[in-house]
Amino acid sequence: MHIRIFDTSDDLARAAAQRVAELLQRTPNAVLGLATGRTPLETYAELRRSYARGAADFSHATTFNLDEFVGIDRTHPGSFRRYMDMKLFDEVNLDLSRIHFLDGMASDLGAECVRYERAIEDRGGIDLQLLGIGANGHIGFNEPADELIASTHRVMLHETTRRDNAAQFGGDPTRVPHEALSMGMGTILKARAVLLLAMGSRKAHCVERAVYGPLTTRLPASFLQTHRAVELLLDRQAAALLREPLPTGSVSSGSGR
Ligand code: GLP
């Protein structure tokens, strides 16, 4: 794992957006895997600014988002599709036909998962997958469990995850759907490169376990240790439990150490 630690969340977001912009310059038709949550908000703001000043061109890019809630449609304020429309899709020159999303309203959710997994393969796989991390170590909506499912699947959300997502549902965890659709750990690990962003002290413990801990389905992020091109962009709080020296290949950068 390649780890970069930043003094501020702004520096971290700039570095993340730069990775995406550089990929698009090198490979205009890149396939991006995108994440939601609070963590990437500033990265998307940076990408909007990059687009506005001509430093990022999404016109040939394809996107696949990690996950979506079951039972709410794309206009619901809590849907990840709505989040992405507001934070990125409506603001840059992405071609609508190349934006891919799981449909949590599909009548056959199993078939929807199969369709999504195939669509990723048909587009040649994901070049760069952006990830956040849940405070319980979940990735996408791959929750800690006895077993992890490799491909895109239907998930029962943990109560902690529902609480963490309550803000978009009027602050009421009981209004957060019980289920979601999510790329599987296998889907995520097939991405050619992974960029995991983590900020704040709430993430420090799971970041520490993801970096040093055993591979365990109890901490889905630990499987990122098996990937050959994972970069962790952390702020100081999220990195607080990492020990010097950092794993081989890591850099202390940004305005960070
Ligand atoms: C949700 C999303 C994840 C995200 C996580 C962390 O559960 N499904 O993709 O990484 O929350 O969210 P936050 O960035 O708000 O801490």
Side-chain angles (χ1 to χ4, degrees), residues 225-237:
Q225 292 177 40
T226 66
H227 195 286
R228 61 170 65 174
V230 175
E231 204 174 343
L232 265 57
L233 304 190
L234 310 172
D235 70 1
R236 289 199 175 278
Q237 289 75 22

Side-chain angles (χ1 to χ4, degrees), residues 62-81:
T62 294
T63 69
F64 285 92
N65 264 78
L66 278 169
D67 46 16
E68 181 58 287
F69 291 108
V70 164
I72 58 173
D73 72 24
R74 56 188 287 172
T75 61
H76 189 287
S79 81
F80 290 154
R81 177 58 196 250

Side-chain angles (χ1 to χ4, degrees), residues 31 123-129 188-194 227-229:
V31 179
R123 300 317 181 276
I126 291 168
D127 291 305
L128 178 65
Q129 177 66 57
I188 293 166
L189 291 170
K190 275 191 250 173
R192 281 180 273 283
V194 173
H227 195 286
R228 61 170 65 174

Side-chain angles (χ1 to χ4, degrees), residues 1-78:
M1 284 182 173
H2 188 84
I3 301 173
R4 296 173 69 188
I5 301 169
F6 296 89
D7 281 336
T8 70
S9 53
D10 284 353
D11 292 336
L12 188 160
R14 263 193 295 278
Q18 200 181 339
R19 282 279 275 112
V20 176
E22 281 168 6
L23 172 63
L24 292 174
Q25 279 156 19
R26 246 186 358 260
T27 312
N29 63 349
V31 179
L32 303 173
L34 299 176
T36 51
R38 286 169 290 268
T39 307
L41 280 173
E42 190 50 36
T43 299
Y44 292 138
E46 276 296 329
L47 282 173
R48 296 196 298 270
R49 288 191 279 273
S50 301
Y51 167 68
R53 63 170 190 272
D57 176 10
F58 294 83
S59 59
H60 298 289
T62 294
T63 69
F64 285 92
N65 264 78
L66 278 169
D67 46 16
E68 181 58 287
F69 291 108
V70 164
I72 58 173
D73 72 24
R74 56 188 287 172
T75 61
H76 189 287

